[in-house]
Amino acid sequence: MMLQVAAPSWHRELATAIRDADQLMDRLGLPDDLRIPARRAAKLFPVMVTESYLARMRRVDPDDPLLRQVLPLDAETARIPGFTTDAVGDQQAELAPGLLQKYAGRALLIATGACAIHCRYCFRRHFPYGDAPRTLDDWEPALATLRADDTIHEIILSGGDPLMLTDRRLADLIQLLAEIPHLTRLRIHTRLPIVLPSRVTDELLELLVSSRFSTIMVVHANHACELAGDCGVALKKLVRHGIPTLNQAVLLRGVNDTADTLADLCEQLVDLGVMPYYLHQLDRVTGAAHFEVAEDIGRALIQELRRRLPGYAVPQYVREEQGESHKTPLLS
Ligand SMILES: *Cc1c(COP(=O)(O)O)cnc(C)c1O
Ligand code: SF4
């Protein structure tokens, strides 16, 4: 008799993720006047939310900080001067298809264009993912570029979300990278431990700790409510496996733009063993202007965090500027 191997639960959860504005409204019992604008804005960038993430939202509350990150609003359709489709100059930093380098010693590989959630403020909502590599062969030009440049020591897997790759695909990619002798560090930029914690399987952990690389995980949570339940368990697992885990957040109006909210996020991260790394000023991407918080307010928030928290719990407040050799600190 053939044993049927069940698909990992995270595959099933992805297959049943919410991909429709009306479904999101219905599930959360949201007011009807949000429907038409939500449908309209969802045409620009489709809705996507996992069940796990939805379960951490309050019902009947359009201001829920998790919902705000995924709810399409009329404001997205506004054209605001200064907000563009390639806000961070990614298209100029491309060394090979899917390989970006902006900073010395490290390069970033767009491992896939897919994500488990669609964050409305995302700077990649306009990225031409159709051109990004999909098969192992498609990565060859990027790998050849990496092989030829021994000044690059760290490879960052990004996307989209690199953990959207199956374990098999991810293992193959890591193996190809591990064959490049001057690469010593592997960094994974992912939001999956936050929005799809079931992705953090024992198999994944084994895969990550068994490569020759020193592996660093950078997750992306913006609000302490995201860390509840399964998510906290998944983060603890990463940390217990000895994988240094950092968090980057984006400063977002109506989500985390108060000192209380940010302090709570940072403290809860630290309690899970995850170190706050960056607080990003919003990239000025078309459709996200309503999330912007003025830099003066951001600076005041960080100063308040410094008064309340240990030094290691305060993230660096940075902005991405085209042509700079590193992320630009907004507060010394
Ligand atoms: C943000 C970013 C990095 C990482 O920068 P660190 O300061 O090392 O975290 C690397 N490459 C690109 C293209 C980036 O946008
Ligand atoms: S790349 Fe990150 S921020 Fe952008 S939609 Fe995907 S998970 Fe959200």
Side-chain angles (χ1 to χ4, degrees):
M1 195 179 86
M2 280 276 288
L3 268 181
Q4 199 74 38
V5 180
S9 68
W10 68 273
H11 284 266
R12 275 174 274 140
E13 204 186 322
L14 267 181
T16 59
I18 292 157
R19 290 182 171 79
D20 175 82
D22 284 292
Q23 202 187 348
L24 183 61
M25 304 285 144
D26 294 342
R27 290 291 303 277
L28 292 170
L30 293 171
D32 265 342
D33 58 340
L34 290 174
R35 265 177 212 272
I36 306 246
R39 284 182 203 150
R40 195 180 306 141
K43 289 200 180 107
L44 302 173
F45 185 47
V47 166
M48 182 155 187
V49 194
T50 59
E51 287 290 339
S52 161
Y53 198 72
L54 187 89
R56 285 170 259 159
M57 294 176 191
R58 291 186 296 263
R59 280 183 49 83
V60 207
D61 181 3
D63 296 327
D64 177 85
L66 278 61
L67 175 63
R68 282 194 62 91
Q69 297 178 54
V70 298
L71 178 68
L73 296 177
D74 237 358
E76 292 177 31
T77 55
R79 295 262 146 198
I80 310 282
F83 285 75
T84 64
T85 53
D86 182 24
V88 293
D90 272 357
Q91 282 151 50
Q92 280 152 48
E94 196 155 33
L95 297 179
L99 185 69
L100 308 180
Q101 186 177 22
K102 291 187 186 169
Y103 309 136
R106 53 223 196 267
L108 183 151
L109 191 68
I110 310 274
T112 168
C115 290
I117 183 172
H118 287 173
C119 311
R120 309 309 298 179
Y121 53 85
C122 181
F123 71 98
R124 292 224 162 102
R125 56 183 282 159
H126 306 285
F127 197 81
Y129 280 122
D131 305 340
R134 308 218 168 260
T135 70
L136 283 182
D137 285 346
D138 290 336
W139 276 316
E140 189 42 42
L143 292 164
T145 305
L146 289 169
R147 278 183 211 114
D149 185 349
D150 65 5
T151 67
I152 298 175
H153 301 297
E154 176 168 348
I155 184 72
I156 302 170
L157 299 187
S158 184
D161 199 308
L163 293 187
M164 289 290 279
L165 298 180
T166 61
D167 285 353
R168 164 66 76 71
R169 246 3 229 317
L170 191 62
D172 287 347
L173 179 59
I174 293 174
Q175 180 52 39
L176 287 168
L177 291 165
E179 285 163 11
I180 303 175
H182 49 267
L183 292 179
T184 59
R185 288 190 304 276
L186 172 72
R187 195 197 310 184
I188 299 183
H189 278 185
T190 176
R191 191 147 154 73
L192 259 59
I194 311 298
V195 300
L196 187 68
S198 56
R199 179 65 186 98
V200 184
T201 59
D202 293 343
E203 292 73 20
L204 176 69
L205 291 164
E206 180 50 35
L207 191 167
L208 293 177
V209 299
S210 64
S211 90
R212 72 163 176 85
F213 287 120
S214 162
T215 299
I216 296 146
M217 195 70 102
V218 182
V219 299
H220 169 185
N222 300 312
H223 193 283
C225 290
E226 290 174 81
L227 307 175
D230 311 355
C231 172
V233 175
L235 292 172
K236 269 197 185 146
K237 263 202 213 165
L238 288 168
V239 173
R240 292 222 179 100
H241 274 75
I243 301 170
T245 305
L246 313 174
N247 183 64
Q248 47 186 349
V250 182
L251 181 58
L252 298 168
R253 192 156 94 208
V255 174
N256 60 8
D257 57 339
T258 69
D260 285 347
T261 312
L262 285 175
D264 205 20
L265 170 67
C266 293
E267 282 204 282
Q268 291 203 37
L269 285 167
V270 168
D271 287 347
L272 291 164
V274 177
M275 305 312 289
Y277 178 37
Y278 282 144
L279 176 67
H280 291 273
Q281 179 65 12
L282 182 81
D283 294 315
R284 305 194 89 193
V285 59
T286 307
H290 56 293
F291 282 113
E292 190 171 49
V293 177
E295 285 178 16
D296 278 350
I297 296 176
R299 276 189 274 268
L301 289 169
I302 294 288
Q303 267 154 346
E304 181 58 24
L305 292 186
R306 286 180 181 167
R307 282 189 283 272
R308 295 193 194 181
L309 301 178
Y312 60 76
V314 180
Q316 295 182 62
Y317 180 37
V318 294
R319 179 178 64 204
E320 178 115 8
E321 268 178 51
Q322 263 186 56
E324 288 298 313
S325 60
H326 51 80
K327 311 241 186 253
T328 307
L330 290 173
L331 193 66
S332 56

mmCIF file of all heavy atoms in Angstrom, residues 61-77:
data_model
loop_
_atom_site.group_PDB
_atom_site.id
_atom_site.type_symbol
_atom_site.label_atom_id
_atom_site.label_comp_id
_atom_site.label_asym_id
_atom_site.label_seq_id
_atom_site.Cartn_x
_atom_site.Cartn_y
_atom_site.Cartn_z
ATOM 1 N N ASP A 61 -13.971 45.914 14.212
ATOM 2 C CA ASP A 61 -13.168 47.079 14.563
ATOM 3 C C ASP A 61 -12.253 47.480 13.402
ATOM 4 O O ASP A 61 -11.159 46.936 13.247
ATOM 5 C CB ASP A 61 -12.326 46.769 15.812
ATOM 6 C CG ASP A 61 -11.489 47.964 16.221
ATOM 7 O OD1 ASP A 61 -11.595 49.030 15.576
ATOM 8 O OD2 ASP A 61 -10.717 47.824 17.189
ATOM 9 N N PRO A 62 -12.713 48.443 12.604
ATOM 10 C CA PRO A 62 -11.915 48.855 11.435
ATOM 11 C C PRO A 62 -10.556 49.435 11.828
ATOM 12 O O PRO A 62 -9.672 49.550 10.989
ATOM 13 C CB PRO A 62 -12.767 49.931 10.750
ATOM 14 C CG PRO A 62 -14.106 49.890 11.387
ATOM 15 C CD PRO A 62 -13.979 49.201 12.708
ATOM 16 N N ASP A 63 -10.387 49.797 13.102
ATOM 17 C CA ASP A 63 -9.113 50.376 13.543
ATOM 18 C C ASP A 63 -8.147 49.353 14.131
ATOM 19 O O ASP A 63 -7.072 49.721 14.618
ATOM 20 C CB ASP A 63 -9.370 51.473 14.594
ATOM 21 C CG ASP A 63 -10.153 52.627 14.005
ATOM 22 O OD1 ASP A 63 -9.952 52.913 12.798
ATOM 23 O OD2 ASP A 63 -10.975 53.221 14.724
ATOM 24 N N ASP A 64 -8.522 48.089 14.090
ATOM 25 C CA ASP A 64 -7.601 47.074 14.617
ATOM 26 C C ASP A 64 -6.243 47.218 13.920
ATOM 27 O O ASP A 64 -6.178 47.313 12.693
ATOM 28 C CB ASP A 64 -8.174 45.670 14.366
ATOM 29 C CG ASP A 64 -7.212 44.601 14.839
ATOM 30 O OD1 ASP A 64 -7.247 44.269 16.033
ATOM 31 O OD2 ASP A 64 -6.393 44.123 14.016
ATOM 32 N N PRO A 65 -5.154 47.209 14.702
ATOM 33 C CA PRO A 65 -3.835 47.480 14.105
ATOM 34 C C PRO A 65 -3.348 46.405 13.131
ATOM 35 O O PRO A 65 -2.510 46.697 12.269
ATOM 36 C CB PRO A 65 -2.911 47.564 15.323
ATOM 37 C CG PRO A 65 -3.630 46.858 16.424
ATOM 38 C CD PRO A 65 -5.081 47.059 16.164
ATOM 39 N N LEU A 66 -3.858 45.192 13.252
ATOM 40 C CA LEU A 66 -3.470 44.163 12.289
ATOM 41 C C LEU A 66 -4.305 44.320 11.015
ATOM 42 O O LEU A 66 -3.781 44.242 9.902
ATOM 43 C CB LEU A 66 -3.652 42.754 12.877
ATOM 44 C CG LEU A 66 -2.516 42.266 13.776
ATOM 45 C CD1 LEU A 66 -2.330 43.144 14.988
ATOM 46 C CD2 LEU A 66 -2.688 40.829 14.163
ATOM 47 N N LEU A 67 -5.593 44.559 11.229
ATOM 48 C CA LEU A 67 -6.472 44.755 10.074
ATOM 49 C C LEU A 67 -5.998 45.930 9.218
ATOM 50 O O LEU A 67 -5.975 45.849 7.989
ATOM 51 C CB LEU A 67 -7.911 44.984 10.555
ATOM 52 C CG LEU A 67 -8.918 45.324 9.440
ATOM 53 C CD1 LEU A 67 -9.048 44.166 8.450
ATOM 54 C CD2 LEU A 67 -10.265 45.705 10.026
ATOM 55 N N ARG A 68 -5.605 47.010 9.865
ATOM 56 C CA ARG A 68 -5.178 48.200 9.109
ATOM 57 C C ARG A 68 -4.040 47.888 8.141
ATOM 58 O O ARG A 68 -3.895 48.533 7.114
ATOM 59 C CB ARG A 68 -4.754 49.326 10.051
ATOM 60 C CG ARG A 68 -5.929 50.052 10.665
ATOM 61 C CD ARG A 68 -5.494 51.357 11.313
ATOM 62 N NE ARG A 68 -4.917 52.281 10.331
ATOM 63 C CZ ARG A 68 -5.619 53.194 9.658
ATOM 64 N NH1 ARG A 68 -6.901 53.316 9.852
ATOM 65 N NH2 ARG A 68 -5.006 53.991 8.803
ATOM 66 N N GLN A 69 -3.238 46.899 8.479
ATOM 67 C CA GLN A 69 -2.111 46.562 7.602
ATOM 68 C C GLN A 69 -2.538 45.840 6.326
ATOM 69 O O GLN A 69 -1.768 45.778 5.373
ATOM 70 C CB GLN A 69 -1.094 45.705 8.363
ATOM 71 C CG GLN A 69 -0.488 46.452 9.544
ATOM 72 C CD GLN A 69 0.467 45.596 10.330
ATOM 73 O OE1 GLN A 69 1.409 45.016 9.782
ATOM 74 N NE2 GLN A 69 0.250 45.487 11.628
ATOM 75 N N VAL A 70 -3.756 45.305 6.334
ATOM 76 C CA VAL A 70 -4.187 44.488 5.183
ATOM 77 C C VAL A 70 -5.494 44.964 4.534
ATOM 78 O O VAL A 70 -5.889 44.437 3.501
ATOM 79 C CB VAL A 70 -4.357 43.002 5.583
ATOM 80 C CG1 VAL A 70 -3.033 42.407 6.052
ATOM 81 C CG2 VAL A 70 -5.432 42.811 6.650
ATOM 82 N N LEU A 71 -6.162 45.936 5.146
ATOM 83 C CA LEU A 71 -7.472 46.373 4.651
ATOM 84 C C LEU A 71 -7.315 47.410 3.538
ATOM 85 O O LEU A 71 -6.731 48.465 3.761
ATOM 86 C CB LEU A 71 -8.267 46.982 5.816
ATOM 87 C CG LEU A 71 -9.655 47.535 5.483
ATOM 88 C CD1 LEU A 71 -10.610 46.413 5.099
ATOM 89 C CD2 LEU A 71 -10.217 48.329 6.666
ATOM 90 N N PRO A 72 -7.818 47.112 2.331
ATOM 91 C CA PRO A 72 -7.719 48.097 1.250
ATOM 92 C C PRO A 72 -8.650 49.276 1.523
ATOM 93 O O PRO A 72 -9.803 49.078 1.900
ATOM 94 C CB PRO A 72 -8.192 47.327 0.005
ATOM 95 C CG PRO A 72 -8.412 45.923 0.427
ATOM 96 C CD PRO A 72 -8.522 45.888 1.911
ATOM 97 N N LEU A 73 -8.145 50.482 1.355
ATOM 98 C CA LEU A 73 -8.911 51.703 1.631
ATOM 99 C C LEU A 73 -8.905 52.609 0.409
ATOM 100 O O LEU A 73 -8.004 52.545 -0.417
ATOM 101 C CB LEU A 73 -8.274 52.489 2.786
ATOM 102 C CG LEU A 73 -8.230 51.863 4.169
ATOM 103 C CD1 LEU A 73 -7.497 52.786 5.122
ATOM 104 C CD2 LEU A 73 -9.633 51.564 4.670
ATOM 105 N N ASP A 74 -9.888 53.488 0.365
ATOM 106 C CA ASP A 74 -9.971 54.486 -0.696
ATOM 107 C C ASP A 74 -8.699 55.324 -0.809
ATOM 108 O O ASP A 74 -8.291 55.695 -1.898
ATOM 109 C CB ASP A 74 -11.152 55.428 -0.396
ATOM 110 C CG ASP A 74 -12.133 55.433 -1.543
ATOM 111 O OD1 ASP A 74 -11.868 54.739 -2.555
ATOM 112 O OD2 ASP A 74 -13.157 56.118 -1.434
ATOM 113 N N ALA A 75 -8.091 55.608 0.331
ATOM 114 C CA ALA A 75 -6.894 56.465 0.350
ATOM 115 C C ALA A 75 -5.795 55.928 -0.570
ATOM 116 O O ALA A 75 -4.953 56.685 -1.053
ATOM 117 C CB ALA A 75 -6.366 56.573 1.783
ATOM 118 N N GLU A 76 -5.805 54.613 -0.840
ATOM 119 C CA GLU A 76 -4.762 54.038 -1.689
ATOM 120 C C GLU A 76 -4.844 54.507 -3.129
ATOM 121 O O GLU A 76 -3.876 54.419 -3.880
ATOM 122 C CB GLU A 76 -4.859 52.506 -1.680
ATOM 123 C CG GLU A 76 -4.512 51.913 -0.353
ATOM 124 C CD GLU A 76 -4.684 50.394 -0.358
ATOM 125 O OE1 GLU A 76 -4.500 49.752 -1.407
ATOM 126 O OE2 GLU A 76 -5.022 49.859 0.703
ATOM 127 N N THR A 77 -6.036 54.957 -3.531
ATOM 128 C CA THR A 77 -6.207 55.339 -4.929
ATOM 129 C C THR A 77 -5.778 56.788 -5.170
ATOM 130 O O THR A 77 -5.709 57.225 -6.309
ATOM 131 C CB THR A 77 -7.679 55.137 -5.373
ATOM 132 O OG1 THR A 77 -8.517 55.873 -4.468
ATOM 133 C CG2 THR A 77 -8.074 53.680 -5.317
#
